[in-house]
Amino acid sequence: MPSPLRHFIDTQDFSREELLRIMELIRLLKDADKNGACPRLLQGASLGMIFEEPSTRTRVSFEVAMTKLGGHALYLRPGEIHLGQRESVKDTARVISRMVDVIEARTLKHQTVLDLVANATVPVMNGLTDYNHPTQVVCDVFTMMEHKLPEKSLSDLHVTFVGDATNVCSSLMMICTQMGMHFTHVAPLRYQAPKAWQDIARANIKKSGGSLTVTDDVDAAVKDADFIYTDLWWWIGQESEIPDRKRAFMPTYQVNDKLLARAPAHAKFMHCLPASRGVEVTDAVMDGPRSIIYDQAENRLHTEKALLAYFVYPRLKFASPNVVSNYRTCVDDFLHASELVG
Ligand code: CP
């Protein structure tokens, strides 16, 4: 009996305990990989990766994760499959589900990933939408656990997100409050997290503890921060807003040495990447001793391995060696009888 079909679309669909279990699995698979012993749990399995937008980290981490687990990944980009042009999301999801064991999708609209979920018969993993980026933030909290002061627990940690209310900001706000951490979003009023997100985060806090602060006061936002996180100030499709956005954010909300100096000495810098160096963050911070951006990026690989193992491995069928051998004999006999094999 295969395990029930579950998707990874939003951390809000999972309990704090289950997210922590996934992070334990990241730890295990990272250690295994570092020792050249990544278990080939997904031997013979395939991942279909749908990308409506460009990607470096998500694409490479999912593809390499599948290879390390013994499986295979297919990169399906616009123009190469019919999705949205000559074929509905529904038919795409139903057809691909008959051929692969898991689907990863980066879609322009969150609704598209929900439509894939509604029609897929294999797990769907959200590789970023216009609403959220759950694989990124599971990786981020795992990275924080690796880099926090040893005497602090998760519930002691203050995470300050500086800048635009991006999809990463939304997801980070959700997971941090699910974990009982203290989350601050600091931005000019117009670019702050909307009330709907804050309502979800406050409901998380009621269950798990922690706190949420949304402010435009950078000094107050960074003074207790353990981690300072930023993201791009604009994304594809927002080019016409660049002058307004630059005026609103620069220089107050740029993560530079002056801003970091106002945070505790142990505070670390994080960025989901890609970054616009010299815009939302300076080279000095990106390349400085407090930056953990490349550890964070590497952890995307270990996170994807854990998510794939967690959601896909329990659903795979592995026949006993006897059954495999019987089928091999039947097929060999058939090919010999057909005089296809000498
Ligand atoms: N952080 C992230 O998702 O990077 P990519 O856009 O390169 O996948």
Side-chain angles (χ1 to χ4, degrees):
M1 184 83 155
S3 88
L5 176 59
R6 298 178 77 202
H7 307 281
F8 188 71
I9 302 303
D10 191 330
T11 61
Q12 288 293 132
D13 301 334
F14 301 88
S15 67
R16 177 180 193 272
E17 290 65 37
E18 190 162 22
L19 291 169
L20 287 170
R21 263 203 306 282
I22 291 171
M23 287 181 218
E24 270 178 52
L25 185 56
I26 303 175
R27 172 84 272 145
L28 275 172
L29 288 170
K30 182 169 180 177
D31 287 349
D33 208 350
K34 294 287 176 195
N35 288 298
C38 189
R40 295 172 74 79
L41 296 168
L42 303 189
Q43 187 91 46
S46 292
L47 161 70
M49 305 191 298
I50 297 172
F51 279 93
E52 290 188 337
E53 283 190 331
S55 165
T56 300
R57 279 142 292 270
T58 307
R59 180 197 169 168
V60 175
S61 60
F62 267 103
E63 187 163 342
V64 174
M66 276 308 278
T67 304
K68 284 189 178 266
L69 292 167
H72 166 254
L74 301 95
Y75 178 54
L76 307 170
R77 62 175 180 176
E80 287 189 357
I81 57 170
H82 298 300
L83 178 70
Q85 301 291 321
R86 296 175 57 203
E87 192 156 37
S88 64
V89 174
K90 179 174 167 173
D91 287 341
T92 304
R94 289 184 178 185
V95 169
I96 292 179
S97 293
R98 297 290 186 103
M99 301 181 188
V100 302
D101 302 282
V102 51
I103 297 170
E104 176 277 336
R106 168 168 292 193
T107 60
L108 294 166
K109 297 279 166 222
H110 194 67
Q111 187 57 48
T112 310
V113 107
L114 298 180
D115 292 344
L116 284 170
V117 165
N119 292 286
T121 52
V122 295
V124 178
M125 308 222 160
N126 176 354
L128 180 140
T129 70
D130 59 348
Y131 171 57
N132 67 353
H133 199 358
T135 61
Q136 176 69 56
V137 295
V138 169
C139 159
D140 294 339
V141 173
F142 175 79
T143 307
M144 289 173 197
M145 288 160 86
E146 289 188 319
H147 284 275
K148 69 181 176 55
L149 293 177
E151 63 271 26
K152 288 201 173 194
S153 66
L154 266 188
S155 56
D156 297 323
L157 297 181
H158 289 250
V159 177
T160 296
F161 187 97
V162 186
D164 191 21
T166 59
N167 36 20
V168 170
C169 173
S170 136
S171 294
L172 201 60
M173 174 183 289
M174 300 317 162
I175 199 167
C176 287
T177 51
Q178 283 181 282
M179 292 291 142
M181 297 157 78
H182 303 278
F183 184 84
T184 298
H185 179 209
V186 59
L189 199 59
R190 186 171 161 197
Y191 298 99
Q192 288 175 0
K195 183 175 174 307
W197 300 3
Q198 295 188 39
D199 289 346
I200 301 171
R202 289 191 208 286
N204 289 341
I205 289 163
K206 275 204 182 128
K207 261 198 240 162
S208 308
S211 65
L212 173 69
T213 306
V214 180
T215 178
D216 61 359
D217 180 346
V218 176
D219 280 331
V222 303
K223 76 175 171 40
D224 296 320
D226 296 287
F227 296 95
I228 292 176
Y229 198 123
T230 192
D231 192 2
L232 297 169
W233 286 347
W234 57 83
W235 186 238
I236 299 164
Q238 293 176 325
E239 291 81 0
S240 63
E241 299 175 30
I242 291 174
D244 278 353
R245 284 172 173 265
K246 266 194 177 161
R247 258 193 306 279
F249 288 110
M250 192 74 99
T252 313
Y253 300 92
Q254 184 190 57
V255 181
N256 50 33
D257 284 335
K258 220 170 113 196
L259 186 146
L260 273 197
R262 291 182 268 166
H266 70 268
K268 299 282 194 292
F269 172 70
M270 299 178 75
H271 194 308
C272 52
L273 305 178
S276 284
R277 285 172 174 259
V279 182
E280 76 274 7
V281 56
T282 57
D283 282 332
V285 169
M286 289 276 283
D287 301 326
R290 297 166 76 173
S291 170
I292 55 171
I293 56 172
Y294 300 121
D295 288 347
Q296 185 186 359
E298 179 196 319
N299 280 338
R300 287 296 303 278
L301 170 62
H302 307 301
T303 302
E304 311 331 1
K305 280 185 301 188
L307 290 170
L308 290 163
Y310 193 85
F311 289 93
V312 183
Y313 175 70
R315 293 177 53 77
L316 297 180
K317 274 197 199 117
F318 295 100
S320 70
N322 267 352
V323 173
V324 173
S325 168
N326 284 345
Y327 274 109
R328 174 68 201 251
T329 305
C330 288
V331 174
D332 274 349
D333 289 351
F334 174 87
L335 294 174
H336 277 95
S338 308
E339 295 181 356
L340 291 166
V341 183

